[in-house]
Amino acid sequence: MRVSLALALANCVVTGTLTWFLWRQEVVVPLWGQRSMNSHLFLTSFVMSFSLAVVASKLTQQALVNRKILPLHWHLKNQTMLDRLPADIFHRSFIISLMGCCYAFLLVYLLNLFTDKELEVIKFVKLNMMFSIWLAAGACVLSIYRTLGSPYKKQHLK
C-alpha cells in the first residue's frame, strides 16, 4: 500500500510538472496533433507505467528477500489473469506499459467524445495529474501482486 501510494504521488508530481513545463506558454492544448494531449498522454502513459512497474517490482522483491513481507502461496490456485503476467520484470513492465496505453486510449476517446477538442492548459494539467495517480496506482498494484506470487523470485528466498 505504501509503495503504491508513494509512487502514485510521485508520478502525479512528475507528470504535472512535465505537463506544465511543456505547455506553460500556451493558452489551450489541442486534443490532436504533434504537440497535443493525445501524444502526451500516450507517451507518458507508456513510459511512466513501465518505470513504475519496474520500481514497484524491485521494491517488492527487495522486501521479499529481506523477509519484510511474505510471498503469496494461494495465487496458483486462483489462476487469475494477473497470474498470467510474465514473471520477468522487464517483460511484465512492458505488458503493464501497454495497459497504460489502453488507459490513455480510453481517456482520449472520452475527451474526443465530450470536449471541444482542446482544453485550457490548467485544466489539462489537473486532468493529467488525476489520470497519472490512477495510472500509477493500477500499474503498481499489478506489479506488486504479480511479484508477490511470482515463482521466479521464490527460488531466491530459500
Side-chain angles (χ1 to χ4, degrees):
M1 289 288 288
R2 287 183 283 183
V3 169
S4 294
L5 288 173
L7 290 176
L9 290 176
N11 190 40
C12 177
V13 170
V14 168
T15 304
T17 304
L18 177 66
T19 306
W20 178 252
F21 180 73
L22 288 173
W23 281 287
R24 69 182 185 276
Q25 303 295 331
E26 306 293 327
V27 176
V28 294
V29 181
L31 181 58
W32 302 104
Q34 194 171 19
R35 275 186 43 108
S36 65
M37 290 185 270
N38 181 23
S39 58
H40 180 76
L41 286 170
F42 275 97
L43 183 62
T44 57
S45 294
F46 185 86
V47 171
M48 296 309 276
S49 295
F50 184 88
S51 304
L52 291 166
V54 168
V55 171
S57 296
K58 291 285 188 182
L59 290 173
T60 305
Q61 281 182 351
Q62 186 178 24
L64 283 168
V65 168
N66 294 335
R67 303 228 189 260
K68 292 181 180 178
I69 57 176
L70 298 173
L72 297 177
H73 296 288
W74 50 267
H75 89 286
L76 291 176
K77 296 175 187 172
N78 288 346
Q79 287 300 317
T80 63
M81 288 304 290
L82 291 177
D83 295 314
R84 297 186 189 279
L85 283 172
D88 179 58
I89 291 176
F90 178 80
H91 295 109
R92 176 177 46 237
S93 299
F94 179 75
I95 297 298
I96 290 174
S97 64
L98 293 178
M99 176 212 64
C101 288
C102 290
Y103 285 169
F105 172 77
L106 289 172
L107 181 59
V108 168
Y109 176 75
L110 291 173
L111 286 170
N112 189 44
L113 202 58
F114 295 114
T115 65
D116 295 329
K117 311 303 182 256
E118 62 185 22
L119 285 176
E120 296 173 17
V121 172
I122 194 67
K123 286 183 181 179
F124 178 58
V125 170
K126 289 177 184 178
L127 174 71
N128 201 15
M129 289 174 75
M130 290 304 297
F131 176 75
S132 69
I133 288 172
W134 289 109
L135 180 75
C140 291
V141 167
L142 291 174
S143 299
I144 291 167
Y145 175 83
R146 182 61 180 98
T147 304
L148 285 173
S150 179
Y152 175 74
K153 282 299 166 186
K154 284 184 183 177
Q155 300 165 6
H156 300 292
L157 296 176
K158 294 180 181 179

